[in-house]
Amino acid sequence: MAENDKAGDNKQQDITKFLIMTIASIVIMFIVFAGVNYVVMENLITQKLNTINTSQEELADDGGSEDEIQRGIIVDLGDFILNLCDESQKKYLKVNVAIEVTKKDTDFPEVEEEKGGGHGAAPAPVDPMEAIQKEMNQYKPAIRDAVITNLSSKTSTELATAAGKELAKEQITNDINSILGGEREVLRVSFGQFIIQ
């Protein structure tokens, strides 16, 4: 019986040693894993912060001149009521379209002050916006036709998404730029009211 007790004690000790070794191994593996994870994450975060700082420094060095939003002259093309290209049922689009075109150096001439003396009155200054509107009016029928052709070739499903609207704006921009022939360039196409019924 003493041998049985001794054998039971040995088994108990072996099990205890095994449990202690297993727990110690798990604790050591956890500590190693946590340490490696910390080092890797710290390096990743440092790299990301360096990348962000570098990007911000480059933007500051550039002065943002290339990324500045170019401002142009807005030309309102008016309202359009169009049939869409849906096959199952007739759908209509009511949209207000405006385009923003580039300025020319000659659009807004500096007003020269009258230099003393002179008998005649100075000619009345020409309103630059009026001159630009006149210039754009010659293109308006072709531009309106391009907008109508582009939008009426779309389905209501295509125009219902933001991506579909952006694609239509891109296509309209390309069409109008080909009409303007390089005299001006379309910077943006904007849809004011946009209703599909």
Side-chain angles (χ1 to χ4, degrees):
M1 199 159 329
E3 286 180 19
N4 279 344
D5 285 341
K6 200 171 192 181
D9 284 341
N10 283 342
K11 243 184 184 179
Q12 185 91 18
Q13 286 176 353
D14 289 342
I15 291 173
T16 305
K17 284 182 185 178
F18 177 75
L19 285 175
I20 290 173
M21 294 293 282
T22 304
I23 291 172
S25 298
I26 290 172
V27 168
I28 290 171
M29 287 186 345
F30 177 76
I31 291 171
V32 168
F33 175 75
V36 169
N37 191 27
Y38 174 78
V39 169
V40 169
M41 293 303 286
E42 187 69 26
N43 286 337
L44 286 175
I45 289 172
T46 303
Q47 287 175 348
K48 290 288 184 188
L49 288 174
N50 287 340
T51 304
I52 291 170
N53 287 339
T54 303
S55 298
Q56 289 176 347
E57 287 171 5
E58 287 173 0
L59 285 175
D61 289 345
D62 290 346
S65 61
E66 291 179 16
D67 292 338
E68 276 185 24
I69 295 175
Q70 188 176 359
R71 299 283 180 212
I73 300 158
I74 306 234
V75 178
D76 187 10
L77 299 177
D79 291 333
F80 294 81
I81 299 175
L82 310 163
N83 292 325
L84 294 176
C85 195
D86 288 283
E87 292 179 15
S88 59
Q89 64 182 40
K90 288 193 176 191
K91 294 275 188 168
Y92 300 96
L93 170 66
K94 181 176 182 185
V95 62
N96 179 280
V97 180
I99 59 172
E100 188 173 353
V101 295
T102 54
K103 297 177 185 174
K104 292 181 184 176
D105 293 338
T106 58
D107 284 340
F108 299 98
E110 295 293 323
V111 178
E112 293 182 20
E113 292 183 21
E114 190 176 334
K115 297 183 180 174
H119 293 273
V126 177
D127 180 19
M129 289 307 290
E130 189 177 310
I132 294 165
Q133 288 298 333
K134 260 187 183 178
E135 177 191 341
M136 292 308 294
N137 279 341
Q138 69 181 342
Y139 295 110
K140 225 172 198 179
I143 292 172
R144 283 186 61 87
D145 181 59
V147 171
I148 290 168
T149 303
N150 186 291
L151 291 176
S152 63
S153 69
K154 307 285 184 198
T155 64
S156 59
T157 308
E158 291 173 323
L159 292 173
T161 65
K165 288 181 185 86
E166 288 304 313
L167 178 63
K169 288 178 183 181
E170 247 179 71
Q171 291 169 342
I172 290 169
T173 299
N174 292 336
D175 292 345
I176 296 173
N177 280 336
S178 67
I179 291 168
L180 296 177
E183 283 192 39
R184 293 189 187 271
E185 187 179 329
V186 176
L187 298 172
R188 275 172 280 293
V189 174
S190 303
F191 296 145
Q193 186 179 35
F194 198 93
I195 301 169
I196 297 175
Q197 290 184 338

